[in-house]
């Protein structure tokens, strides 16, 4: 009986090891999943990795707000040679941004000197992106999945408590929140397994081989300048303008509300910065102008921060004339923001330039 049990255990172990090795081998030859914006931008950056000295990483407030050629020209006027690329992607928040950064750094860009990272919130609830989309599983490697689980355990679970009224606990709100929390834990685990086993990737490869479902212009996410920036000539008007004026009025009249990162997101950000430095580049954090009403900041000083969240200090960045919508700047606003970003950056870079 004991010998039979050992044989069964050995067979199971060999099967499991073979399955893991097989999945890793398949993953090594498969291309990056066709995640909109991410795939096109990373493939372009890899193909031109020897050209770039700076990288902008973040959400749509990077993608639509930072113009690389303008930034490079302003830097050159002050003696700083730059060739930058906009790796902004819609809704690219933590911890997904760390995975995209890993893929970019894995290309080993030889001239990379600066990586600008937008400070964003840590999402464990698929905000902005559904769990059933092609984008959901691709970043669920072990590092990112463990980070999400740790956040759910260390912070989110602690916030779920029964409502206490008149000395008695009320459970009617606690139970649905616990079910939602458990569902998130399970869903992230499912996506980790889905990514690890490459389920569904064969069908995707077959569609590509047959020319089915290809994007008409694979370079469209790079924008007209092939630099990652997406211009917009829209201007706020009507009900959206009225709502924006209300939000900015409240932002200007009240004190700035600062939220510090939770422990797990802070550790996640510090890991990202360490990886940038390990590649010989300098990380710089950016806080984009927002009507959200609060500012997200690290728990402690870990890198230079270029903060554009104060409407009193940066009134032009909150001027409705420069807004495409409540959240984003239009092209004219992007020019104002890029100039402000370059000015703040050059004040940091000036000492190192003088030492050369």
């Amino acid at each position: 009986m004991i010998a039979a049990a050992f044989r069964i255990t050995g067979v199971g172990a060999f099967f499991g090891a073979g399955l893991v090795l097989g999945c890793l081998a398949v993953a090594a030859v498969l291309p990056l999943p066709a995640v909109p914006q991410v795939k096109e931008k990373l493939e372009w950056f890899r193909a031109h990795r020897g050209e770039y000295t700076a990288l902008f990483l973040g959400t749509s407030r990077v993608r639509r707000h930072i113009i690389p050629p303008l930034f490079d020209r302003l830097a050159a006027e002050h003696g700083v040679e730059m060739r930058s690329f906009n790796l902004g992607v819609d809704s690219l928040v933590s911890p997904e941004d760390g995975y995209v950064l890993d893929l970019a750094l894995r290309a080993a860009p030889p001239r990379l000197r600066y990586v600008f990272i937008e400070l964003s919130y840590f999402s464990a609830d698929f905000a902005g992106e559904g769990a059933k989309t092609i984008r959901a599983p691709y970043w669920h490697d072990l590092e990112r999945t463990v980070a999400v689980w740790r956040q759910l355990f260390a912070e989110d679970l602690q916030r779920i408590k029964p409502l206490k009224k008149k000395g008695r606990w009320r459970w009617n709100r606690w139970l649905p929140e616990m079910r939602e929390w458990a569902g998130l834990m399970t869903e992230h685990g499912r996506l980790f397994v889905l990514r690890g086993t490459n389920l569904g990737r064969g069908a995707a490869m077959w569609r590509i081989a047959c020319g089915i479902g290809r994007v008409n212009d694979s370079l469209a996410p790079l924008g007209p300048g092939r630099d990652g920036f997406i211009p917009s000539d829209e201007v706020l008007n009507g009900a959206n303008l009225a709502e924006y004026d209300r939000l900015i009025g409240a932002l200007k009249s009240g004190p700035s509300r600062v939220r510090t990162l939770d422990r797990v997101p802070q550790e996640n950000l510090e890991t990202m910065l360490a990886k940038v430095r390990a590649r010989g580049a300098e990380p710089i954090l950016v806080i984009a102008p927002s009507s959200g009403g609060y500012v997200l900041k690290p728990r402690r000083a870990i890198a230079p921060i270029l903060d554009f969240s104060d409407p009193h200090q940066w009134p032009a960045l909150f001027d409705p004339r420069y807004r495409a919508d409540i959240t984003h700047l239009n092209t004219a606003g992007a020019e104002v923001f890029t100039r402000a970003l370059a000015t703040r950056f050059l004040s940091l870079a000036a000492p190192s330039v003088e030492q050369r």
Side-chain angles (χ1 to χ4, degrees):
M1 292 290 292
I2 297 178
F6 273 114
R7 282 197 299 271
I8 293 173
T9 301
V11 170
F14 276 114
F15 174 78
L19 178 62
V20 171
L21 291 175
C23 291
L24 291 175
V26 171
V29 299
L30 285 175
L32 185 70
V35 180
Q37 300 178 39
V38 176
K39 179 180 177 63
E40 295 89 352
K41 287 197 166 187
L42 281 174
E43 288 184 344
W44 178 273
F45 182 74
R46 287 171 178 171
H48 301 81
R49 60 185 179 274
E51 303 174 13
Y52 295 110
T53 61
L55 188 64
F56 298 103
L57 179 73
T59 66
S60 55
R61 287 183 298 208
V62 168
R63 182 177 184 241
R64 298 174 61 176
H65 292 186
I66 299 176
I67 309 173
L70 175 58
F71 184 89
D72 298 345
R73 178 168 59 81
L74 294 171
E77 290 174 358
H78 290 79
V80 181
E81 180 186 356
M82 300 285 285
R83 176 73 189 281
S84 58
F85 181 71
N86 186 322
L87 192 52
V89 175
D90 292 346
S91 303
L92 186 67
V93 298
S94 294
E96 183 187 359
D97 60 352
Y99 183 71
V100 173
L101 175 64
D102 280 3
L103 295 178
L105 295 179
R106 200 173 298 167
R111 301 176 61 218
L112 189 66
R113 293 175 55 201
Y114 300 99
V115 178
F116 297 80
I117 301 174
E118 180 193 6
L119 269 171
S120 63
Y121 62 91
F122 190 98
S123 176
D125 59 359
F126 306 103
E129 292 289 335
K132 307 299 182 183
T133 65
I134 191 174
R135 183 169 172 177
Y138 90 103
W139 58 267
H140 274 80
D141 61 354
L142 182 61
E143 179 181 341
R144 257 55 64 163
T145 305
V146 169
V148 171
W149 278 340
R150 289 181 61 215
Q151 173 68 7
L152 287 170
F153 267 112
E155 300 293 340
D156 295 12
L157 182 61
Q158 305 306 315
R159 297 187 180 109
I160 303 175
K161 296 180 179 179
L163 183 64
K164 190 174 184 180
K165 286 186 177 181
K166 297 181 180 179
R168 299 180 61 185
W169 293 106
R170 301 294 179 90
W171 301 91
N172 57 327
R173 180 179 176 182
W174 180 83
L175 289 173
E177 289 183 347
M178 280 299 300
R179 283 196 297 267
E180 181 180 356
W181 178 87
L184 284 172
M185 291 287 294
T186 303
E187 189 62 20
H188 284 289
R190 182 188 72 84
L191 292 172
F192 171 71
V193 172
L194 183 63
R195 179 190 183 277
T197 55
N198 300 296
L199 292 176
R201 296 297 305 279
M205 289 295 294
W206 176 254
R207 288 196 298 271
I208 292 174
C210 296
I212 301 172
R214 288 182 175 174
V215 180
N216 291 332
D217 182 3
S218 62
L219 298 180
L222 296 171
R226 301 294 187 255
D227 48 35
F229 168 69
I230 303 298
S232 172
D233 294 328
E234 298 181 15
V235 180
L236 267 178
N237 55 56
N240 288 333
L241 175 58
E243 175 63 12
Y244 179 77
D245 286 338
R246 184 189 70 80
L247 291 171
I248 298 304
L251 189 63
K252 290 180 177 179
S253 61
S256 176
R257 292 184 293 170
V258 176
R259 295 184 184 177
T260 56
L261 293 172
D262 291 334
R263 180 170 57 85
V264 173
Q266 174 77 23
E267 293 174 0
N268 179 74
L269 178 60
E270 291 181 7
T271 298
M272 291 173 62
L273 302 187
K275 290 177 179 179
V276 171
R277 293 183 176 117
R279 284 290 181 184
E282 180 181 349
I284 298 174
L285 302 176
V286 177
I287 301 178
S290 169
S291 58
Y294 69 91
V295 180
L296 191 66
K297 292 189 175 181
R299 299 164 73 95
R300 52 187 171 271
I302 52 177
I305 300 178
L306 308 184
D307 185 355
F308 301 94
S309 62
D310 188 350
H312 298 289
Q313 183 180 1
W314 306 98
L317 297 179
F318 295 84
D319 191 320
R321 294 177 302 169
Y322 296 136
R323 288 275 160 175
D325 53 45
I326 291 176
T327 305
H328 302 106
L329 298 168
N330 53 30
T331 301
E335 292 179 0
V336 175
F337 179 64
T338 302
R339 290 181 179 277
L341 182 67
T343 300
R344 290 292 310 278
F345 162 72
L346 290 167
S347 68
L348 294 175
S352 61
V353 173
E354 292 174 356
Q355 293 172 5
R356 290 188 302 178

